[in-house]
Amino acid sequence: MEKLAALMMIFLLAMPMGHCSIEGPEEVDEWFHKLPHAKEKVTKLHFFFHDRFAGKNISAVRVAHASSTAKSPTAFGLVFIMDDPLTEGLKPTTKELGRAQGLYAFSGREELSLLMAMNLVFTSGEYNGSTLTVLGRNPAVPHREMPIIGGSGVFRLARGIASAQLREFNTTTGNALIEYNVVVIHY
């Protein structure tokens, strides 16, 4: 409990000095007043999502499961929390653009599918400090589409689609590489 309290204190103290630029209430209010005259923008993003749930440098951890999960052919009830790197290229050593932070839960009893609840947190480039929120079903098919339901920073009032395609999956190392193409409408 002491460790949690210390982490919360660090979080609260570090908020204004984080690596991202978050505007204060005055700037947001000014932005909002200009909104009726703003034009919608369409932004297309492309990046690679590196999910590592085993081996070295784990970025996703198992946090919960149901008593019946081990017997389920679809891992129904299994939940992971993630903080996965988003990179410019296929290799994890390419430039990091941000992180995918959130959770995924195995939510299909009859077929393999996940519930994805994640923020795409951009930590470099022109979108540094901005986020996109993805919330939706992630079916076990080669090409997946998930809705973007919001955003912050550059992506205020965002909506759009995150298209994902599995590029690599290694059961030995526990590494998955997913290619993302994102189309987002924002102001």
Side-chain angles (χ1 to χ4, degrees):
M1 194 60 144
E2 287 179 31
K3 185 177 181 180
L4 179 59
L7 287 172
M8 288 302 293
M9 182 59 77
I10 291 168
F11 176 76
L12 293 171
L13 290 172
M15 283 175 59
M17 298 182 286
H19 67 275
C20 56
S21 57
I22 298 174
E23 295 180 353
E26 297 83 19
E27 290 87 359
V28 174
D29 193 47
E30 182 180 326
W31 173 86
F32 185 72
H33 279 61
K34 293 177 184 177
L35 189 58
H37 306 290
K39 293 187 184 207
E40 286 186 328
K41 301 172 195 165
V42 175
T43 300
K44 295 181 180 181
L45 304 168
H46 177 258
F47 50 84
F48 294 88
F49 174 107
H50 301 267
D51 191 50
R52 297 182 298 260
F53 57 88
K56 293 182 179 181
N57 299 317
I58 291 173
S59 62
V61 293
R62 179 183 185 154
V63 294
H65 65 274
S67 59
S68 59
T69 297
K71 297 176 191 159
S72 170
T74 63
F76 180 63
L78 182 58
V79 180
F80 281 82
I81 297 291
M82 67 179 156
D83 183 5
D84 291 333
L86 305 174
T87 64
E88 216 171 47
L90 286 161
K91 303 253 187 245
T93 54
T94 59
K95 181 181 179 184
E96 187 172 298
L97 303 173
R99 311 289 296 184
Q101 297 175 333
L103 65 86
Y104 54 90
F106 289 76
S107 57
R109 285 186 327 149
E110 305 292 324
E111 61 186 8
L112 186 59
S113 67
L114 304 172
L115 164 67
M116 300 294 292
M118 67 178 169
N119 289 309
L120 303 174
V121 181
F122 297 97
T123 58
S124 68
E126 64 183 300
Y127 307 120
N128 182 29
S130 299
T131 66
L132 289 170
T133 300
V134 177
L135 176 64
R137 183 174 184 263
N138 184 348
V141 295
H143 177 80
R144 305 111 191 260
E145 281 189 3
M146 293 162 281
I148 293 171
I149 63 164
S152 67
V154 172
F155 299 119
R156 287 184 185 127
L157 298 178
R159 63 191 190 285
I161 294 291
S163 299
Q165 187 167 3
L166 181 65
R167 291 295 178 200
E168 292 176 16
F169 181 69
N170 186 320
T171 55
T172 305
T173 63
N175 292 343
L177 174 65
I178 300 121
E179 183 175 9
Y180 271 79
N181 286 290
V182 172
V183 178
V184 62
I185 300 168
H186 58 101
Y187 291 92

